[in-house]
Amino acid sequence: MDGEGTRVLRQRLDDARALIAVSAASNRSKSDQDPSTWLPPYASYWCQYVTDWIADKTRYSLTIDPAEQAALAQRLAACPDQPITVTLAR
C-alpha cells in the first residue's frame, strides 16, 4: 500500500464506526447505495445508521445529493434525541 493509501486507512480506523461487521448478504444488498435507496434490515438501527452516515459525510467533506438529503431528513425526524458525533479527519 502506498503512503496515501496508508494515511487514508489510518484516518478511517481512527473512528470506530468505520468498520462494522455485517453478513455477506447484507453487504451485497447495500452495495454502493445511500440512505435514499437502502437502510439496514433492522429498523431499530436506522437512527444510528443515518447519524453515522452524516458524520462520515461531514468528516470527509463529502456532498449529499437531494434524494439522499430528503431521505436523511425524513429518518432524522424520527430520531430527535440522537446525537451526531463527528470525528474530523486528520
Side-chain angles (χ1 to χ4, degrees), residues 69-80:
Q69 183 178 14
L72 291 168
Q74 179 184 15
R75 289 292 163 212
L76 286 175
C79 313

Side-chain angles (χ1 to χ4, degrees), residues 22-87:
V22 298
S23 69
S26 182
N27 194 41
R28 281 191 298 273
S29 75
K30 184 200 177 297
S31 186
D32 64 348
Q33 299 179 79
D34 67 41
S36 68
T37 56
W38 186 90
L39 286 170
Y42 299 105
S44 62
Y45 185 65
W46 289 353
C47 289
Q48 185 68 53
Y49 182 80
V50 297
T51 57
D52 287 351
W53 185 274
I54 293 167
D56 287 343
K57 289 283 193 160
T58 303
R59 177 181 176 139
Y60 296 106
S61 301
L62 302 173
T63 60
I64 294 177
D65 66 44
E68 187 179 0
Q69 183 178 14
L72 291 168
Q74 179 184 15
R75 289 292 163 212
L76 286 175
C79 313
D81 297 323
Q82 184 78 28
I84 299 175
T85 304
V86 177
T87 303

